[in-house]
Amino acid sequence: KIRVILLSPRGEQFTQTKAKELTKYDQLIFIAGRYEGVDERVAEFVDETISIGDYVLNGGELGAMVITETVSRLLPGVLGKDESSQEESFSDDDSVEYPHYTRPEVFVTEDGKELKVPEVLLSGHHAEIKKWRKSQRKN
Ligand code: 4HQ
């Protein structure tokens, strides 16, 4: 099952939801034009036209890469097991991931400022942590 995608600023905005839809194809073929784009008759061979954002690139190649990376990380077996894409960054509602912290607990800057890991994350209280993460999510 193959999907032919044309990259164009006039296309439908690329989103995480669109990425999920594209996982159902066995192959994606990207048409990445340069300069003024491609001859209108190419539309005959295109299944859909996608834009990665409201700005103008010189060519569609970066759009093809953005879509390839976004879709491929959703496929089983593409990521290492601790990276679990579904759960980590995007839940089913496509909300953007919460902030992450690692060690040390306190990072001291050159001018002596102490940047701390939020207390709740050190508490071990999983329900509270879940609530905090939800409150921090960008959507
Ligand atoms: N393009 N999202 C290719 C884009 C674009 C976008 C401009 C596509 C140039 C030739 N592609 N043409 N935005 O700006 O995907």
Side-chain angles (χ1 to χ4, degrees):
K1 207 167 162 215
I2 297 174
R3 193 75 163 165
V4 177
I5 298 167
L6 174 68
L7 282 307
S8 165
R10 296 168 58 193
E12 188 192 331
Q13 169 73 47
F14 184 59
T15 59
Q16 191 67 22
T17 302
K18 171 57 70 180
K20 264 179 225 158
E21 282 167 34
L22 294 176
T23 59
K24 68 177 188 226
Y25 299 98
D26 298 315
Q27 260 187 75
L28 302 178
I29 295 175
F30 296 103
I31 302 179
R34 282 247 141 205
Y35 315 112
E36 299 299 310
V38 297
D39 188 294
E40 190 53 34
R41 289 165 289 184
V42 168
E44 194 77 27
F45 310 98
V46 167
D47 296 314
E48 64 182 302
T49 303
I50 298 180
S51 165
I52 60 159
D54 287 338
Y55 38 76
V56 183
L57 303 165
N58 267 328
E61 296 88 346
L62 286 169
M65 289 176 77
V66 165
I67 295 169
T68 300
E69 176 147 331
T70 309
V71 173
S72 63
R73 68 185 287 284
L74 298 174
L75 303 177
V78 169
L79 279 176
K81 65 175 182 311
D82 359 315
E83 279 144 296
S84 88
S85 65
Q86 293 302 346
E87 148 103 74
E88 183 193 300
S89 309
F90 286 99
S91 28
D92 287 333
D93 63 358
D94 290 340
S95 62
V96 176
E97 69 182 312
Y98 45 79
H100 285 64
Y101 290 88
T102 178
R103 290 169 294 178
E105 248 175 71
V106 180
F107 177 85
V108 183
T109 65
E110 235 176 323
D111 55 341
K113 215 161 104 185
E114 297 192 342
L115 304 178
K116 296 181 177 138
V117 173
E119 203 64 50
V120 59
L121 299 180
L122 306 170
S123 69
H125 194 316
H126 294 291
E128 285 303 310
I129 291 172
K130 210 171 163 184
K131 226 163 68 186
W132 179 86
R133 285 177 171 163
K134 201 169 176 181
S135 76
Q136 297 293 312
R137 249 158 37 188
K138 188 189 176 244
N139 202 348

